[in-house]
Amino acid sequence: GLDSVDSGRGDQIQVTLIVPALAGEGGGGAGTPETMPAKGLTVEESGANVEEAVEKMRAMVGGVLDFSTLQYVAVGKNVHPDDLVSAMHTLHFTRFVPMTPLMFATEDKVSDLFGAESPSGRGFTDTLDAIQAQSRIGWGHIHYPQSWEIMALLVNKTGDMTLTVIDRTDQGDELQAVGAAVYDGPKYAGLIDPSDALILYSVAHRKYPGGTYPFVHEGRELLMRILGVRTSVKADRGAGGDDVPRLTVDMRANAALMDSGGYRLPLLNRRKLDELEQVAARDMEARLGRLLERLQGWNSDAMRLYHEVRVGVPEMAYEDFKEVYPRIKVDFNVSVLLVRTGLLR
């Protein structure tokens, strides 16, 4: 876990680790210290950089800290952009750290988040895995990018990063996904809700496994499970010599209607389903338009539009694109293929 600090000692970053118990339930399992709790040992230290903080940890635990099995990296909301970039460089250019840890963000202090208990008795990383698995049938969808993907964005500047936000519940003793954090480079920009995160991922990744999406028609709330999305993005030069590129986003979603909102739908009659396909598509187009306006206000290219701009307008550098990004125009075209598989109510 990564947090920025101002300790008055010159420390800039705080590193928090959960070191799992090796066996048993703690208290004497094979290879497990007598004092180590079942969920593992939480170690917290600060330093001028990650290397210094980890050096202090090694002195604290009196042994070797093995990073070769690092599973997750949690990014605190208050992490300074320079500290985040420095930490990512350290993680990816240290011999014994893999390039595949999954990343997420949190609005909580990382050390407090790590203290949350699972009512089922799961370990911390098992709970994160379960949240992602359950999200496929819940609201939105949870995505944990691998750390090398985030590092590639920061280095290659083909767009801005997005991280799922995991916070404690109001009771402070469980974990929950509350949406996604979007960034302007390595700088935190803002928070979007799960439904916005779902369609954002669908554009940013161009191909996405989907999730669950709500929409409203004739005063009724309906629910569809998006089974898969394919998105293409095309960038052209602005008309009349304008330096602002024009983009077109075409998205095709295959989905299953899970909640009819009370409509009585005969199994063999597609008339209402055809109508709902158009309604769902227009709803997603409108949501994408509103989401783009928010991202432009934050100057965050979380949709990774520059990835195509550098192809369609090769002379435009990333820095130039970010200057005109708040003024770019994007046409969103969404088509939905909807089937009926049953109702939840």
Side-chain angles (χ1 to χ4, degrees), residues 203 232-234 244-250 285 288-289 292 296 301 303 305 321 325 327-333:
V203 177
S232 63
V233 181
K234 182 180 179 181
V244 180
R246 183 92 187 192
L247 294 104
T248 302
V249 173
D250 293 312
E285 289 174 355
L288 282 165
L292 177 63
Q296 288 175 312
D301 182 25
M303 290 184 180
L305 301 177
F321 172 75
Y325 175 69
R327 296 185 284 121
I328 65 169
K329 302 297 182 182
V330 180
D331 295 320
F332 294 105
N333 303 310

Side-chain angles (χ1 to χ4, degrees), residues 53 57 80 91-92 112 123 126 165 182 245 263 277 295 311 334-335:
M57 287 181 181
H80 190 278
L91 289 175
H92 286 94
D112 294 337
D126 289 339
V165 176
V182 297
Y263 283 118
E277 285 180 347
L295 295 176
V311 176
V334 178
S335 63

Side-chain angles (χ1 to χ4, degrees), residues 228-260:
V229 176
R230 288 185 178 274
T231 303
S232 63
V233 181
K234 182 180 179 181
D236 295 307
R237 290 178 171 82
D242 191 354
D243 62 346
V244 180
R246 183 92 187 192
L247 294 104
T248 302
V249 173
D250 293 312
M251 179 185 297
R252 179 177 176 82
N254 294 325
L257 184 65
M258 299 305 297
D259 190 331
S260 69

Side-chain angles (χ1 to χ4, degrees), residues 89-294:
H89 275 281
T90 298
L91 289 175
H92 286 94
F93 295 100
T94 299
R95 180 180 175 187
F96 299 108
V97 176
M99 297 184 71
T100 56
L102 305 179
M103 295 187 65
F104 66 92
T106 181
E107 297 179 297
D108 292 326
K109 191 171 184 290
V110 171
S111 56
D112 294 337
L113 184 76
F114 284 2
E117 298 282 352
S118 170
S120 64
R122 288 191 182 100
F124 190 86
T125 57
D126 289 339
T127 301
L128 293 176
D129 294 343
I131 289 174
Q132 182 181 45
Q134 293 167 3
S135 75
R136 294 182 182 274
I137 57 174
W139 192 4
H141 180 61
I142 305 305
H143 175 67
Y144 303 124
Q146 293 183 337
S147 58
W148 69 265
E149 298 177 80
I150 299 301
M151 193 63 185
L153 281 176
L154 293 175
V155 172
N156 297 328
K157 297 181 178 180
T158 56
D160 289 319
M161 65 183 188
T162 304
L163 297 176
T164 291
V165 176
I166 303 292
D167 288 346
R168 295 175 297 170
T169 58
D170 293 338
Q171 292 74 27
D173 57 352
E174 297 180 29
L175 302 179
Q176 61 179 346
V178 298
V182 297
Y183 292 76
D184 174 10
K187 178 184 176 182
Y188 173 84
L191 177 70
I192 60 176
D193 69 28
S195 291
D196 283 343
L198 169 62
I199 58 172
L200 173 60
Y201 291 140
S202 298
V203 177
H205 295 279
R206 310 301 193 252
K207 180 181 178 182
Y208 199 62
T212 304
Y213 184 86
F215 63 101
V216 175
H217 180 49
E218 296 180 341
R220 303 169 187 253
E221 184 175 272
L222 298 98
L223 201 64
M224 65 179 181
R225 182 180 300 168
I226 298 178
L227 306 175
V229 176
R230 288 185 178 274
T231 303
S232 63
V233 181
K234 182 180 179 181
D236 295 307
R237 290 178 171 82
D242 191 354
D243 62 346
V244 180
R246 183 92 187 192
L247 294 104
T248 302
V249 173
D250 293 312
M251 179 185 297
R252 179 177 176 82
N254 294 325
L257 184 65
M258 299 305 297
D259 190 331
S260 69
Y263 283 118
R264 298 180 65 85
L265 301 178
L267 288 175
L268 300 179
N269 185 352
R270 278 206 54 90
R271 181 178 302 175
K272 180 58 70 172
L273 287 177
D274 292 341
E275 177 185 333
L276 294 178
E277 285 180 347
Q278 296 300 315
V279 172
R282 301 295 83 77
D283 185 273
M284 294 176 72
E285 289 174 355
R287 185 182 287 270
L288 282 165
R290 294 192 299 269
L291 177 58
L292 177 63
E293 289 181 0
R294 294 181 68 192

